[in-house]
Amino acid sequence: MRRNSLAIVFTLLALASTGPTTLLAQTTPRATTPTLAADQSGCSVINYYDVGPGKANSSLSQLPWSSLKGCDTVRIYPKVGNAPYHEMMLISAGTNLTPTTPTKFMRVLGVPDPSTGDLPIIDGVNATQLETPAGQVPRSLRYLSNTLGDPNRVLYKLGLLMISGQSGRDYNFGPPGYISIENLEIRNASYGTSFIDGLTNAPDTYRAFTSCIYVEAAAHLVLKNNILHDCGNGLFINSKNGALVELSQDVLVQGNTLYNNSNAVGTGGSNGYSEHNSYTEARDIIYQYNTFGDVKPGAHGDCLKDRSSGLIVRYNRFPSNCGILINLRDATGGGTLIHGDAGYATTHIYGNVFDLSGSADAHLVSYGGDSGTTAIYRQGTLYFYNNTLVVTGDANHGAYPSVFLFNLDLQNAIAEVSNNIFQATPTSVNLPGMVQAMSYGHGTVSLSGNWVSPNAGQFWLGHIVPGAIVNGWISNIGAGNQPMFVNESAHNFRLAAGSPLINAGVALDAEISASGNLPLSEVGFDPNALRVNDGAIDIGAYEYPSGDNIFADGFE
């Protein structure tokens, strides 16, 4: 693939465009560069702790988790036959007990099987907590608020891999930080499944909200190339009490696969509405190159639910049946540190592929809030550009929509929607595809340079919200309903030669250019696969020619 020098410059601008934070939050609110890698360049020596067959440690419980800190790297190797590790983990690096710094990350690194490429498996079924009661030697870890009889004793059953402080931590120092979790398959921490309580050594069961990865609070966190499935939440990141020292900030979620999370109706009282493939609240968070698959059958969870500021969602795949693909709600635990942050008013979603083949009653983006305090709802600008959405299936509600695109909760919210593909392909010959409604809420949806299938509508027929506005409807193209993908049946939505979408895009909003969030990379697993720059932008997530990225867009 051609790599244009100007594109590389723009890429560097894009990477620097978010304003991440630093661990010592009470003295330095933000760092100067974002966390985009697990940096150990400042380590004169990297201390390796190897776990697996024939290694120094055969189980996770043998590691000194309570003292792991910057420049420490845990390498987890697959067991024979890739049998799972049935052990829970608590990561606390970055606190006053275990310090870290920007160039001295602490890493937990799965080592893929050299023959199969399979990742080491951490399985929640009958998993044992790596915790020993106070006073016992060797001491592993003590979860916060984890004393027998304490009514607040709850954290210990909410995460298979938990990032949180441990007993003895000074909250005033800030949250754990400069941590990277990479290359692990983490699974089966779901409601009612048994695990072994580290204090009582007796069986207990996970709650409905239990997560594959549960982050109580963390600053400068990398979650990369993990597979998170069959949990309540695949990923949960919290911010707490409106306090800077309990604020999650500067988070990179990259190259992960999340699927079959959430809960079915009747599970744990939530009916699956409260648990999602990913659920996050942080200041400055980037989602890139991830795959969001289906939630559990019968669940109502979202693919990506978020309450953050400084949010960027780019180059991800959504081959999904989620109730809402991207659900952007108001900040709760982070308080004014998030909803008062300048980045709260601007959200960038670009370069993603939404594959809704066979899905009905799908909701693409909801933007606003659910706390009831409308003053802190999202009411800025949602920039949604150069994405590709394809839904396959016949119009099953007549003239009424099956696919709802933009739900803006407040009248003063704006969605700037440019250079996207909204394609509806029928399953049956000579029948129309599923109907799409561009707006089904309040606010203004401003359109420019999009490809929209002909049977789409500006609003939800018969349910138009007074004051809702759709601008630029006549700027859309879509005649003949033939965008000319390379191979739509194989879920390859790159543009074929002769596509009317080639060089048909419009210039992006000046704010997008100023922020550096230009669509320069490609959907996929290779962050170095840059989008071709031929001087004229194409409509959709891909630029013609499609380059050397051979992956199809379907969920493998």
Side-chain angles (χ1 to χ4, degrees):
M1 174 178 293
R2 181 176 60 184
R3 282 163 172 77
N4 183 286
S5 59
L6 181 59
I8 293 173
V9 171
F10 280 149
T11 299
L12 294 175
L13 288 172
L15 297 182
S17 66
T18 56
T21 52
T22 186
L23 184 62
L24 295 174
Q26 70 275 29
T27 56
T28 309
R30 273 187 163 88
T32 55
T33 57
T35 290
L36 288 165
D39 189 355
Q40 291 185 316
S41 62
C43 300
S44 56
V45 175
I46 297 176
N47 308 303
Y48 290 102
Y49 296 85
D50 290 345
V51 181
K55 305 302 178 184
N57 306 281
S58 60
S59 67
L60 300 174
S61 63
Q62 293 175 286
L63 299 183
W65 291 99
S66 61
S67 60
L68 293 178
K69 57 187 183 300
C71 297
D72 290 340
T73 295
V74 174
R75 294 187 294 200
I76 302 174
Y77 291 81
K79 291 186 176 182
V80 175
N82 207 18
Y85 292 86
H86 292 280
E87 300 176 87
M88 300 167 74
M89 286 184 282
L90 171 62
I91 312 297
S92 295
T95 64
N96 56 308
L97 301 179
T98 53
T100 51
T101 63
T103 60
K104 296 181 179 181
F105 262 71
M106 183 267 181
R107 301 177 73 189
V108 177
L109 178 64
V111 180
D113 184 286
S115 300
T116 66
D118 292 339
L119 303 181
I121 297 172
I122 312 298
D123 194 303
V125 176
N126 295 321
T128 302
Q129 285 183 330
L130 309 184
E131 180 176 23
T132 54
Q136 290 192 13
V137 179
R139 179 178 180 274
S140 178
L141 284 174
R142 291 295 308 281
Y143 288 76
L144 289 170
S145 301
N146 201 23
T147 302
L148 291 177
D150 187 339
N152 297 316
R153 185 176 185 249
V154 66
L155 282 175
Y156 75 103
K157 61 168 63 180
L158 290 179
L160 183 52
L161 189 158
M162 177 168 285
I163 298 175
S164 174
Q166 56 180 297
S167 181
R169 160 202 173 184
D170 180 359
Y171 255 109
N172 291 322
F173 185 83
Y178 299 109
I179 296 168
S180 185
I181 311 296
E182 307 169 51
N183 300 338
L184 294 173
E185 179 177 349
I186 305 174
R187 69 188 193 189
N188 293 334
S190 58
Y191 178 74
T193 300
S194 294
F195 68 95
I196 306 301
D197 186 332
L199 288 187
T200 65
N201 202 35
D204 203 338
T205 56
Y206 299 113
R207 291 192 169 191
F209 204 77
T210 300
S211 307
C212 292
I213 297 179
Y214 185 105
V215 181
E216 184 206 18
H220 315 295
L221 174 65
V222 174
L223 302 171
K224 186 176 179 180
N225 300 336
N226 301 291
I227 303 173
L228 309 178
H229 65 99
D230 291 279
C231 297
N233 294 293
L235 168 64
F236 177 71
I237 298 178
N238 201 11
S239 290
K240 300 173 63 178
N241 300 317
L244 207 53
V245 294
E246 298 179 68
L247 181 71
S248 289
Q249 41 190 328
D250 185 18
V251 178
L252 176 66
V253 184
Q254 176 174 305
N256 303 281
T257 299
L258 306 96
Y259 68 95
N260 215 43
N261 300 295
S262 188
N263 290 301
V265 172
T267 302
S270 73
N271 290 332
Y273 285 99
S274 298
E275 299 85 36
H276 313 281
N277 273 334
S278 186
Y279 189 4
T280 51
E281 180 172 354
R283 190 171 69 180
D284 301 325
I285 181 168
I286 298 174
Y287 283 92
Q288 59 185 19
Y289 310 111
N290 303 286
T291 296
F292 294 86
D294 293 346
V295 291
K296 289 177 182 174
H300 297 285
D302 305 326
C303 281
L304 193 169
K305 184 172 183 177
D306 182 81
R307 301 179 182 276
S308 303
S309 64
L311 172 66
I312 298 172
V313 181
R314 60 190 181 192
Y315 316 131
N316 303 282
R317 289 185 176 90
F318 292 81
S320 313
N321 67 353
C322 302
I324 303 174
L325 294 163
I326 300 180
N327 192 4
L328 306 179
R329 303 289 89 192
D330 55 326
T332 54
T336 58
L337 294 170
I338 292 180
H339 65 68
D341 182 55
Y344 190 63
T346 304
T347 301
H348 293 271
I349 301 176
Y350 60 96
N352 304 281
V353 169
F354 302 91
D355 183 1
L356 310 187
S357 301
S359 298
D361 301 317
H363 295 242
L364 177 59
V365 179
S366 286
Y367 181 88
D370 56 13
S371 69
T373 306
T374 56
I376 63 171
Y377 280 20
R378 296 176 185 267
Q379 48 194 302
T381 303
L382 167 66
Y383 291 96
F384 189 94
Y385 50 102
N386 285 101
N387 301 284
T388 294
L389 179 146
V390 178
V391 56
T392 304
D394 299 333
N396 52 7
H397 298 316
Y400 287 89
S402 296
V403 182
F404 304 89
L405 297 177
F406 297 97
N407 178 21
L408 309 179
D409 285 347
L410 295 185
Q411 193 65 50
N412 58 346
I414 299 172
E416 293 286 350
V417 181
S418 303
N419 297 344
N420 303 285
I421 299 172
F422 299 104
Q423 169 70 8
T425 300
T427 302
S428 305
V429 178
N430 297 324
L431 288 180
M434 292 184 179
V435 180
Q436 304 175 63
M438 189 62 63
S439 171
Y440 63 104
H442 300 78
T444 299
V445 178
S446 292
L447 305 171
S448 57
N450 301 285
W451 170 279
V452 181
S453 286
N455 63 328
Q458 297 183 55
F459 302 99
W460 182 4
L461 184 65
H463 296 77
I464 300 175
V465 176
I469 298 171
V470 174
N471 290 326
W473 184 253
I474 61 173
S475 72
N476 296 315
I477 63 173
N481 206 31
Q482 295 295 329
M484 295 181 63
F485 295 126
V486 168
N487 191 336
E488 183 174 350
S489 63
H491 305 276
N492 186 336
F493 305 127
R494 291 174 174 80
L495 304 180
S499 168
L501 283 67
I502 296 172
N503 295 338
V506 300
L508 294 171
D509 189 278
E511 193 283 336
I512 294 173
S513 299
S515 73
N517 281 296
L518 297 168
L520 298 173
S521 192
E522 281 197 347
V523 181
F525 301 107
D526 181 6
N528 297 311
L530 299 185
R531 183 170 172 146
V532 172
N533 182 357
D534 61 3
I537 194 167
D538 298 349
I539 295 176
Y542 297 105
E543 192 80 12
Y544 180 85
S546 56
D548 55 10
N549 189 334
I550 63 172
F551 294 102
D553 298 306
F555 180 52
E556 304 292 339

